[in-house]
Amino acid sequence: MAQPWYKKLHWQIITGLVLGLVFGIVAAAQGWSAFTSAWIAPWGQIFLRLLLLIAVPLVLASLITGVASLSDMKKLSRIGGKTIAIYMATTVVALIIGLVLVNVMKPGASVPQDMREKLETTFAEQAESGMETAARAAERGPLDPLVDMVPGNVFLAASNNRNMLQIVFFAIFAGIALLMIPKEKARPLLDFFDSLNDMIIKMVEIIMLAAPVGVFALMADTITSIAGDDLAQILELLGALGFYCIVVLLGLILHTTLTYGSMMLLLTPRSIKEFVRALTPVQLVAFSTSSSGATLPVTMERVEKELGVSEEVSSFVLPLGATINMDGTGLYQAVAAVFIAQTIGMDLDLSAQLTIVFTAVLASIGTAAVPGAGIIMLVIILESVGVPSAGIALILGVDRILDMCRTVTNVTGDATVATVVAASEGELEDLPAMA
Ligand code: ASP
């Protein structure tokens, strides 16, 4: 028998999200933000931590088994090469969409001078700390990001979710080594990681039962922490930066529907309906947590169970994507960089815009899959084209909202590429008949 709609996970999460939004707005208008942060926000934090708690062991276990189950090195390099190439290509498409929109719509031309000054002073301090972090990153040598990928101590790497790229490196390396030793020697470790993997997937299922409540609390807290007890302030901010937000959102929507939609339609046997149905809970969790790392466990579960991607492919492609593939972030960075330049009256020529594409593709690899990471990397992009990085003060006020939206695109991109790679490898299992 078909399930009634209210029992379906994505409807429950949507309900939590909408109620959280409404509660947040009412709380901001009524001055309940202290109550919200004391009594509501912790439930969201618990949900977020539960997801983050399993992110490192999940990446480790799934990538090691994923790589080691690829039967031989030839298959590994074929799937690996294909995955990285598609990830990069989609990021470039996202950046081009962002650049075309921001150049045609020119959101920076409509920010009044007095608002610009106000934004600059209000967010000067936050901008300063973002710039310091980015300056430390930019001071380093050209090969340092490569050095950063290689952990000196695997336990230290595993102790911080920001070091996910190091975990990815270790896991792929370990998986390759397991492929190269005799099968009977590799068996015990593979069985161990396999069982760890299954345990984690079960944990995801259990955590997702709490998703509606977690999403409610995260949304309510986000709204009250942006607006404080003064809703008028957020409206004023949206008035000034609304057009910029619309350009970013339009870009994200176009990329998510057109680029990913056509990849699904043309390169896989899945229909758009199946795609939407499978990914809605993933997108909602991404939206409310603003973190593709925290969403990864949910992405893996849905892509395997609802899109039929084999574990072999999903456990390799998805953890890699969550760490290195961020189309939404790249698109936002391209729009933001040009917007800031437009606002301060700077003209960015074609070569500057190509530099943005190049730096943003690299930056998206290094961007951590956590909230707010994109704007730090934006500083590096601004520096590369000579736009003053203090300009991030202009957009900081609306960054959290855009972060939520770009994270949705980031996770949708990972899931799409996983399905495309699986289809091209004949690794897409049949779906059970739809309820
Ligand atoms: N929050 C984004 C993510 O986790 C990264 C960013 O753009 O800040 O995917």
Side-chain angles (χ1 to χ4, degrees):
M1 211 176 57
Q3 256 184 343
W5 69 270
Y6 57 84
K7 284 205 171 156
K8 292 196 177 136
L9 183 65
H10 61 271
W11 283 114
Q12 293 177 352
I13 304 180
I14 291 179
T15 312
L17 193 129
V18 173
L19 289 180
L21 204 71
V22 173
F23 182 89
I25 294 174
V26 174
Q30 298 288 328
W32 301 341
S33 59
F35 169 83
T36 312
S37 77
W39 294 99
I40 307 283
W43 302 106
Q45 289 306 322
I46 292 176
F47 174 63
L48 186 63
R49 282 188 183 199
L50 284 171
L51 287 173
L52 289 172
L53 169 74
I54 52 177
V56 168
L58 174 66
V59 170
L60 204 61
S62 67
L63 259 181
I64 291 180
T65 41
V67 171
S69 63
L70 285 177
S71 61
D72 61 70
M73 292 292 285
K74 265 225 311 278
K75 193 166 179 193
L76 172 66
S77 37
R78 192 180 64 235
I79 295 191
K82 206 187 289 187
T83 305
I84 291 173
I86 308 179
Y87 275 151
M88 295 233 168
T90 52
T91 309
V92 172
V93 173
L95 287 162
I96 293 174
I97 295 179
L99 284 176
V100 169
L101 288 180
V102 72
N103 282 297
V104 172
M105 295 171 77
K106 297 201 181 358
S110 68
V111 180
Q113 172 74 16
D114 57 335
M115 193 63 206
R116 203 187 93 195
E117 280 159 16
K118 195 169 163 206
L119 287 170
E120 274 170 357
T121 36
T122 318
F123 294 101
E125 217 172 283
Q126 285 183 45
E128 189 85 28
S129 83
M131 277 153 58
E132 273 167 23
T133 318
R136 276 197 297 277
E139 259 169 24
R140 298 156 353 118
L143 292 184
D144 281 356
L146 212 61
V147 177
D148 277 351
M149 262 175 61
V150 186
N153 180 320
V154 71
F155 296 103
L156 274 186
S159 69
N160 186 344
N161 286 322
R162 283 184 174 263
N163 291 341
M164 210 62 107
L165 205 52
Q166 298 190 343
I167 296 293
V168 168
F169 175 86
F170 174 77
I172 295 180
F173 195 13
I176 293 176
L178 280 173
L179 262 182
M180 296 167 81
I181 60 179
K183 279 215 161 42
E184 68 283 1
K185 291 265 182 196
R187 199 68 275 150
L189 266 182
L190 280 179
D191 285 344
F192 169 77
F193 283 117
D194 210 24
S195 140
L196 185 62
N197 216 0
D198 284 354
M199 178 194 84
I200 292 166
I201 299 285
K202 194 32 111 200
M203 288 167 105
V204 181
E205 278 173 25
I206 302 171
I207 297 169
M208 284 308 281
L209 296 176
V213 178
V215 166
F216 167 83
L218 284 171
M219 282 311 294
D221 181 42
T222 307
I223 305 278
T224 47
S225 35
I226 298 176
D229 284 333
D230 183 6
L231 206 56
Q233 182 198 328
I234 203 175
L235 293 178
E236 193 190 10
L237 207 59
L238 282 179
L241 295 176
F243 194 28
Y244 154 71
C245 293
I246 290 175
V247 176
V248 175
L249 289 182
L250 184 65
L252 293 177
I253 292 172
L254 286 178
H255 188 59
T256 309
T257 52
L258 295 184
T259 315
Y260 301 147
S262 50
M263 283 169 75
M264 268 290 165
L265 272 184
L266 301 176
L267 304 174
T268 83
R270 297 287 171 257
S271 68
I272 295 295
K273 197 172 160 205
E274 286 165 333
F275 184 51
V276 171
R277 192 180 128 116
L279 294 187
T280 309
V282 180
Q283 293 167 326
L284 293 170
V285 172
F287 184 75
S288 43
T289 60
S290 266
S291 163
S292 16
T295 314
L296 177 66
V298 188
T299 320
M300 292 193 65
E301 199 217 17
R302 299 293 294 186
V303 164
E304 282 170 24
K305 294 224 169 100
E306 305 288 325
L307 287 172
V309 173
S310 74
E311 211 181 312
E312 199 179 11
V313 169
S314 86
S315 55
F316 176 71
V317 179
L318 289 174
L320 195 66
T323 21
I324 70 164
N325 179 52
M326 300 203 180
D327 293 359
T329 302
L331 189 148
Y332 141 84
Q333 286 166 334
V335 175
V338 179
F339 168 76
I340 294 171
Q342 287 171 349
T343 314
I344 57 174
M346 251 180 94
D347 207 22
L348 290 181
D349 59 9
L350 189 66
S351 83
Q353 307 222 11
L354 287 178
T355 310
I356 293 181
V357 174
F358 182 71
T359 343
V361 170
L362 293 183
S364 81
I365 298 176
T367 306
V370 296
I375 197 159
I376 308 277
M377 285 304 195
L378 174 62
V379 174
I380 295 175
I381 296 171
L382 291 176
E383 302 269 329
S384 73
V385 285
V387 175
S389 46
I392 58 168
L394 294 171
I395 55 166
L396 260 167
V398 288
D399 201 61
R400 176 65 198 220
I401 306 171
L402 296 181
D403 192 2
M404 296 160 87
C405 303
R406 62 190 189 239
T407 309
V408 171
T409 304
N410 290 346
V411 298
T412 312
D414 300 339
T416 309
V417 174
T419 319
V420 168
V421 171
S424 74
E425 289 288 320
E427 296 270 356
L428 214 51
E429 286 142 24
D430 286 339
L431 291 180
M434 274 211 223

